């Protein structure tokens, strides 16, 4: 059974810092991995999707990497801004492709 | 705007009430989902409809009853709920025809059971 862990649970950084969020998973036989952002009281917004054949994906100041052999993914945020404050979740398919299993998320606060 | 619309955004109901949550997707997807998000817990998949047929039910209590009349609409019928059912209920959709398409979520329906 796939289990997804995110560390740290919460993170506070000053504006402008580069930061890394971590996601670990127990079953390396995955189709893909997705990173999402969730603002308080809102739904989830997909940030990046990495296919199992890829090692990383980039979108603007975000870079997500995937290392299947070690069961890890990281989300790198460059030059953080207060608007980046949100909860970041990673998710992987549990069995079929889009029946996602989520981590508990990392709550990020970027201080101005 | 993600193309997935949920109503109502907030709902307060008594334990003896019957209510429904509605979800509509405008993305032409063929799969829709209900997820439950409780405080301090990971999102839990409740139901999946693919090509309008329910393909998975993760042992959700029978007081939650899904309905998918067509590929664009999904309902979650609620009856005799318990206070522990209070949570954010998220609808999502995706195109399930390859090994990895982005899933799109609605804004969620906040449910409080009193």
């Amino acid at each position: 059974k796939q289990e997804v862990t995110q560390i740290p649970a919460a993170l506070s950084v000053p504006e402008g810092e580069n930061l890394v969020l971590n996601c670990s998973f127990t079953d390396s036989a995955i189709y893909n991995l997705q990173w999402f952002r969730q603002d308080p009281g809102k739904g989830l917004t997909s940030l990046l999707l990495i296919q199992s054949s890829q090692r990383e994906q980039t979108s603007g100041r975000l870079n997500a990497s995937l290392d299947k052999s070690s069961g890890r993914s990281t989300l790198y945020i460059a030059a953080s801004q207060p608007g980046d404050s949100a909860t970041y979740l990673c998710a992987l398919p549990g069995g079929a492709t889009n029946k996602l299993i989520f981590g508990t998320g990392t709550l990020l606060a970027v201080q101005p | 705007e993600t193309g997935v619309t949920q109503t109502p955004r907030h709902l307060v109901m008594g334990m003896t009430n019957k209510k429904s949550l509605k979800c509509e997707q405008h993305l032409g997807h063929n799969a829709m989902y209900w997820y439950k998000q409780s405080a301090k817990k990971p999102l839990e998949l409740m139901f999946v409809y693919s090509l309008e047929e329910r393909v998975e039910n993760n042992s959700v209590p029978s007081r939650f009853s899904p309905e998918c009349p067509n590929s664009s609409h999904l309902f979650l019928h609620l009856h005799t709920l318990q206070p522990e059912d209070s949570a954010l209920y998220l609808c999502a959709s995706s195109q399930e025809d390859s090994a990895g398409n982005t899933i799109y979520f609605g804004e969620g329906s906040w449910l409080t059971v009193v």
Side-chain angles (χ1 to χ4, degrees), chain A residues 52-103:
Chain A
S52 62
S53 58
Q54 298 174 319
R55 292 190 63 84
E56 64 179 74
Q57 278 282 355
T58 298
S59 175
R61 293 182 294 108
L62 305 179
N63 177 277
S65 68
L66 176 63
D67 183 344
K68 288 200 308 178
S69 61
S70 66
R72 294 184 60 187
S73 176
T74 61
L75 179 66
Y76 175 82
I77 302 177
S80 58
Q81 302 172 358
D84 295 329
S85 299
T87 297
Y88 291 82
L89 300 108
C90 68
L92 300 91
T97 57
N98 271 325
K99 298 171 179 60
L100 297 176
I101 296 176
F102 283 83

Side-chain angles (χ1 to χ4, degrees), chain A residues 14-43:
Chain A
E15 182 177 3
E17 271 203 8
N18 303 326
L19 58 101
V20 175
L21 307 180
N22 298 293
C23 174
S24 301
F25 47 93
T26 55
D27 184 351
S28 61
I30 62 172
Y31 292 106
N32 57 59
L33 182 145
Q34 294 189 52
W35 281 93
F36 294 86
R37 168 186 173 137
Q38 185 175 28
D39 293 291
K42 299 293 184 74

